[in-house]
């Protein structure tokens, strides 16, 4: 609203009203500061919950057996055998001997497939080199939908090459332009000749159509059919259970290639298929090599001694000269005196994974033992993360509140630089969680979780001090944990009785005293997070679902109501000053009229 005032009185009414409203706005400024404080407090609570949740996720990993049962494996000769162990492996020594590695089935062209074939060019363009007793090509009818041109042109390319005939019944193509149909005589070959205006040349290698005249935009080449030559063949391979790996009706992997595909592309697609074969062409010998990606004698379950790769159709067997009789061999070895076989050179037994590197006849010893250092590092890292957690939470609940710094109003913020406003906000945010009972109670309970004995453990360790972890003697650390000395006592405990160490941290139980330290901590953290959420909520919750949200909603409602009242007060001030202006104007008019009588 634009107001023009003070003309009669000469007073700056707007400034007077503004000064009066400053006093009136003091309560609403206080409400807005209260709102900002509540929002900061809510955010501080949520940041504490985020810390607790992150630590809870780490604690979950500490409830897994793998965190305490890491194994280390050593091989006497890694050039012959490499080994790794899972946490389920027992501490033991194994001897491998008389090792013959598994091999993969492989088929190589029995002779050079062609003296001059180019693996990068289309097979159809080199069809004269692909001469076999049986045809490798299959003729396929392609139904081409009508083609409407979007621009003037004389050339259109079909989606497929290797064309042998088009519209065999008529020998012509029909093109409609502006409702008038015209027939074009079809010529097929590999090299275009001079065309008359009623002819169309089709390149049989590429499928490109060239008309003897330019076709205008909007013209339609009516639907037609053409014969295309394709390669069809299948390959059958089997998995370790003797099951065919393909999607075909008989379990084979079926392939179909446009004649414009090159030999290299054919072999690449075979290599990328479910057949599980690596295929390539060697230009030095003009031979194709196909090798199973998996080792071992992988034949059909119905024919254990059968071929590992079965090739069908003339392209594979006649032109590429690949044979189906090839087989892979299983790995053979003796493990601790037991002669056995495997399909792969990598196998797992007793929780130990072996990888055979070479054939050998002697002995190679593999030792499995507890990985004390890794378990120690895992526990040490967990203790470090716990110390970081309580340091941050203690920092919040002991931070002093500086009440000389209150949240800034918009008017106050405008008078400060960005840096000054940022520093002011940091001061105003301090101490908002000082002495918080939820967080302090949670910390106290976590300390108790660490030091209370775990009942029902099977080994020698029932409390934290038994394995060399204790509380810092420095009071200012506020309950931080310390691994005694250089960790020797903890390492000895892990080495001596890893099961007891694991029970101390992750034992399950129906009561708190029966639960391991980590499970107690997770229970405490879950309860603390839930209590904090009841006060500060989550980002996805509505205001009615948590205490601070309800408080914020109430303050917002008060601010809205008070702003409405301020508008009314400001209007009242302006009405009063307007009445004063009118009275002055009337007095001035009367004075002017009286002065005329005396002039």
């Amino acid at each position: 609203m634009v107001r023009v005032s003070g003309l009669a009185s000469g007073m700056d009414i707007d400034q007077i009203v503004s000064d009066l409203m400053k006093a009136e706005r003091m309560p609403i400024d206080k409400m807005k500061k209260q709102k900002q404080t509540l929002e900061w407090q809510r955010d501080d609570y949520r940041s504490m919950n985020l810390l607790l949740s992150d630590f809870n996720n780490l604690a979950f990993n500490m409830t897994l057996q793998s965190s305490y049962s890491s194994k280390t494996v050593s091989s006497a000769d890694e050039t012959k055998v490499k080994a790794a162990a899972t946490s389920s492996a027992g501490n033991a020594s194994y001897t491998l001997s008389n090792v013959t590695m598994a091999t993969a089935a492989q088929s190589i062209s029995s002779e050079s497939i062609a003296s001059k074939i180019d693996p990068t060019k289309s097979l159809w363009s080199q069809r004269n080199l692909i001469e076999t007793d049986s045809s490798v090509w299959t003729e396929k009818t392609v139904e081409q939908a009508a083609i409407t041109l979007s621009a003037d042109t004389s050339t259109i390319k079909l989606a497929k090459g290797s064309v042998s005939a088009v519209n065999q019944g008529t020998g012509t193509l029909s093109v409609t332009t502006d409702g008038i149909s015209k027939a074009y005589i079809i010529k097929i070959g590999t090299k275009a000749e001079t065309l008359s205006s009623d002819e169309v040349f089709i390149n049989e290698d590429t499928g490109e159509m060239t008309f003897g005249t330019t076709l205008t935009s909007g013209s339609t080449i009516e639907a037609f059919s053409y014969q295309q030559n394709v390669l069809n063949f299948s390959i059958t391979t089997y998995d370790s259970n003797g099951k065919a790996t393909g999607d075909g009706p008989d379990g084979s992997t079926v392939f179909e290639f446009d004649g414009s595909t090159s030999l290299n592309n054919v072999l690449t697609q075979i290599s990328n298929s479910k057949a599980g074969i690596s295929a390539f062409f060697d230009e030095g010998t003009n031979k194709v090599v196909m090798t199973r990606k998996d080792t071992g004698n992988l034949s059909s379950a119905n024919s254990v001694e059968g071929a590992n790769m079965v090739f069908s159709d003339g392209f594979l067997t006649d032109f590429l000269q690949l044979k189906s009789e090839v087989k892979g061999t299983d790995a053979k070895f003796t493990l601790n005196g037991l002669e056995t076989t495997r399909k792969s050179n990598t196998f797992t037994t007793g929780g130990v994974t072996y990888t055979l590197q070479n054939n050998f006849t002697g002995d190679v010893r593999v030792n499995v033992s507890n990985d004390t250092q890794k378990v120690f590092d895992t526990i040490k890292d967990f203790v470090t993360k716990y110390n970081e957690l309580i340091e941050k939470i203690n920092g919040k609940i002991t931070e002093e509140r500086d009440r000389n710094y209150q949240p800034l109003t918009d008017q106050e913020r405008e008078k400060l630089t960005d840096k000054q406003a940022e520093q002011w906000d940091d001061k105003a945010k301090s101490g908002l969680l000082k002495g918080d009972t939820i967080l302090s109670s949670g910390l106290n309970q976590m300390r108790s979780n660490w030091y209370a004995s775990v009942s029902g453990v099977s080994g020698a360790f029932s409390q934290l001090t038994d394995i060399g972890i204790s509380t810092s003697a420095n009071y200012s650390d506020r309950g931080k944990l310390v691994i005694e000395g250089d960790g020797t006592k903890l390492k000895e405990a892990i080495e001596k009785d890893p099961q007891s160490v694991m029970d101390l941290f992750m034992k399950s139980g129906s009561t708190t005293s029966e639960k391991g330290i980590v499970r107690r901590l997770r229970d405490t953290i879950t309860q603390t997070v839930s209590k904090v959420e009841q006060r500060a909520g989550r980002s996805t919750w509505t205001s009615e679902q948590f205490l601070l949200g309800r408080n914020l909603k109430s303050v917002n409602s008060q601010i809205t109501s008070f702003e409405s009242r301020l508008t009314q007060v400001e209007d009242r001030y302006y009405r009063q000053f307007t009445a004063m202006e009118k009275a002055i104007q009337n007095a001035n008019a009367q004075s002017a009229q009286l002065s005329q009588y005396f002039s």
Side-chain angles (χ1 to χ4, degrees):
M1 177 184 295
V2 178
R3 296 184 174 96
V4 180
S5 56
L7 295 177
S9 64
M11 300 168 63
D12 188 350
I13 303 302
D14 289 335
Q15 184 60 49
I16 295 172
V17 172
S18 176
D19 292 340
L20 290 170
M21 290 303 298
K22 285 181 181 179
E24 297 286 351
R25 292 190 62 85
M26 289 180 66
I28 199 170
D29 288 341
K30 185 176 180 180
M31 293 178 201
K32 287 185 176 180
K33 291 182 178 185
Q34 181 185 4
K35 175 186 175 182
Q36 182 64 79
T37 299
L38 288 172
E39 289 175 344
W40 283 341
Q41 190 176 44
R42 176 201 62 194
D43 294 342
D44 276 353
Y45 273 121
R46 289 181 180 178
S47 67
M48 294 299 99
N49 253 7
L50 181 61
L51 291 174
L52 288 166
S53 297
D54 288 344
F55 183 75
N56 203 23
N57 292 334
L58 179 64
F60 171 77
N61 295 332
M62 296 296 291
T63 64
L64 303 178
Q65 181 178 344
S66 57
S67 297
Y68 309 92
S69 304
S70 296
K71 300 292 181 178
T72 182
V73 182
S74 62
S75 170
D77 190 346
E78 290 199 345
T79 64
K80 296 178 179 178
V81 180
K82 289 184 178 181
T86 64
S87 59
S88 62
N91 295 340
S93 180
Y94 302 91
T95 301
L96 271 83
S97 56
N98 301 323
V99 171
T100 301
M101 294 181 65
T103 62
Q106 186 179 72
S107 184
I108 303 174
S109 302
S110 56
E111 297 179 8
S112 296
I113 60 174
S115 59
K116 297 180 181 179
I117 194 164
D118 187 336
T120 65
K121 292 183 179 180
S122 75
L123 290 168
W124 179 251
S125 67
Q126 304 176 86
R127 58 190 176 280
N128 60 314
L129 299 177
I130 306 176
E131 297 177 354
T132 64
D133 293 337
S134 60
S135 176
V136 300
W137 300 103
T138 300
E139 197 169 63
K140 178 181 179 181
T141 299
V142 178
E143 298 294 338
Q144 174 64 54
I147 303 171
T148 300
L149 305 180
S150 59
D152 294 353
T153 185
S154 60
T155 59
I156 298 95
K157 190 171 183 179
L158 299 172
K160 308 290 185 182
S162 62
V163 178
S164 58
V166 177
N167 275 358
Q168 287 179 304
T170 64
T172 61
L173 277 181
S174 180
V175 179
T176 300
T177 304
D178 296 330
I180 301 173
S181 180
K182 179 180 178 180
Y184 287 81
I185 300 171
I186 297 170
K187 289 187 173 184
I188 296 180
T190 57
K191 185 176 181 181
E193 301 175 356
T194 302
L195 299 173
S196 63
S197 61
D198 62 348
E199 291 179 329
V200 57
F201 172 76
I202 300 177
N203 187 309
E204 59 183 307
D205 288 343
T206 65
E208 185 177 73
M209 300 190 299
T210 303
F211 287 83
T213 184
T214 299
L215 305 181
T216 58
S217 176
S219 297
T220 299
I221 303 172
E222 303 299 339
F224 59 93
S225 64
Y226 61 93
Q227 304 303 117
Q228 181 206 16
N229 289 280
V230 298
L231 295 173
N232 282 312
F233 57 83
S234 65
I235 302 175
T236 305
T237 55
Y238 306 93
D239 62 19
S240 59
N241 297 317
K243 181 180 178 182
T245 60
D247 296 328
D250 57 352
S252 64
T253 302
V254 180
F255 299 90
E256 180 178 291
F257 295 97
D258 182 345
S260 58
T261 304
S262 70
L263 177 59
N264 280 347
N265 284 338
V266 169
L267 298 178
T268 296
Q269 292 191 46
I270 290 174
S271 298
N272 293 335
S273 71
K274 291 185 177 181
I277 291 175
S278 295
F280 69 92
F281 173 72
D282 176 56
E283 296 186 47
T285 59
N286 278 342
K287 291 184 178 182
V288 168
V289 180
M290 290 197 182
T291 308
R292 282 299 308 270
K293 294 178 181 178
D294 295 327
T295 58
N297 184 5
L298 304 174
S299 56
S300 170
N302 298 323
S303 177
V304 177
E305 297 303 319
N308 290 184
M309 294 186 288
V310 180
F311 305 114
S312 70
D313 301 305
F315 178 74
L316 297 175
T317 58
D318 295 344
F319 175 59
L320 298 185
Q321 301 183 56
L322 299 171
K323 307 303 179 185
S324 297
E325 292 79 16
V326 294
K327 298 178 184 177
T329 60
D330 294 343
K332 298 179 181 179
F333 55 91
T334 301
L335 179 62
N336 282 10
L338 174 67
E339 294 184 3
T340 184
T341 63
R342 293 291 190 280
K343 297 290 184 186
S344 172
N345 290 314
T346 299
F347 57 91
T348 300
T349 183
V352 182
T353 299
Y354 302 89
T355 301
L356 305 179
Q357 302 291 92
N358 280 297
N359 297 332
F360 61 90
T361 56
D363 295 342
V364 173
R365 185 174 292 277
V366 174
N367 292 312
V368 182
S369 58
N370 293 329
D371 192 344
T372 302
Q373 185 62 45
K374 187 172 183 180
V375 177
F376 172 82
D377 290 342
T378 299
I379 295 174
K380 181 180 178 182
D381 181 63
F382 185 65
V383 169
T384 299
K385 295 296 184 184
Y386 171 76
N387 287 340
E388 291 174 357
L389 172 72
I390 65 171
E391 180 179 10
K392 290 176 181 178
I393 296 178
N394 274 320
K396 277 294 182 182
I397 63 177
T398 59
E399 186 179 42
E400 292 297 330
R401 180 89 171 102
D402 192 340
R403 299 191 180 278
N404 293 322
Y405 290 86
Q406 296 296 318
L408 295 168
T409 63
D410 292 340
Q411 293 80 5
E412 290 170 340
R413 190 175 296 275
E414 289 175 357
K415 297 177 183 178
L416 301 177
T417 65
D418 291 342
K419 183 65 175 177
Q420 289 173 331
E422 182 181 351
Q423 293 173 338
W424 186 286
D425 286 343
D426 289 341
K427 289 283 189 180
K429 290 178 182 179
S430 64
L432 293 179
L433 299 185
K434 179 175 173 58
D436 182 75
T437 56
I438 297 176
L439 294 173
S440 58
S441 175
L443 288 180
N444 290 335
Q445 185 58 46
M446 281 193 281
R447 293 190 192 103
S448 175
N449 294 153
W450 281 102
Y451 301 120
S453 297
V454 179
S455 61
V457 293
S458 57
F461 312 127
S462 61
Q463 59 185 25
L464 204 60
T465 53
D466 292 340
I467 61 173
I469 301 176
S470 58
T471 308
S472 170
N474 187 343
Y475 174 78
S476 63
D477 285 341
R478 295 182 176 274
K480 284 186 178 180
L481 300 176
V482 176
I483 296 176
E484 297 175 7
D486 58 356
T488 301
K489 187 173 182 179
L490 176 57
K491 290 179 181 178
E492 289 176 350
I494 296 169
E495 184 69 31
K496 177 183 176 181
D497 193 349
Q499 181 64 45
S500 182
V501 173
M502 181 171 67
D503 287 347
L504 178 63
F505 281 97
M506 59 164 284
K507 180 177 178 294
S508 298
S510 56
T511 64
T512 300
S513 63
E514 294 174 337
K515 292 181 179 180
I517 292 170
V518 176
R519 297 193 186 278
R520 295 173 181 172
L521 286 171
R522 282 176 56 80
D523 289 345
T524 297
I525 290 171
T526 300
Q527 293 168 7
T528 304
V529 167
S530 178
K531 290 177 181 178
V532 172
E533 285 178 347
Q534 293 304 312
R535 179 167 292 183
R538 301 179 187 173
S539 60
T540 56
W541 285 14
T542 62
S543 297
E544 290 80 4
Q545 292 179 279
F546 58 99
L547 177 62
L548 291 181
R550 291 190 290 272
N551 292 345
L552 279 168
K553 186 176 180 181
S554 175
V555 172
N556 280 329
S557 178
Q558 293 175 42
I559 291 173
T560 301
S561 298
F562 203 84
E563 283 179 337
S564 176
R565 177 180 173 277
L566 287 177
T567 300
Q568 295 173 1
V569 171
E570 187 178 43
D571 289 342
R572 176 167 55 81
Y573 280 137
Y574 271 109
R575 286 196 303 271
Q576 290 173 342
F577 280 108
T578 298
M580 181 190 73
E581 289 286 319
K582 288 180 179 179
I584 293 173
Q585 286 176 347
N586 290 336
N588 289 339
Q590 291 174 357
S591 175
Q593 188 176 16
L594 288 172
S595 65
Q596 290 177 357
Y597 293 133
F598 296 100
S599 62

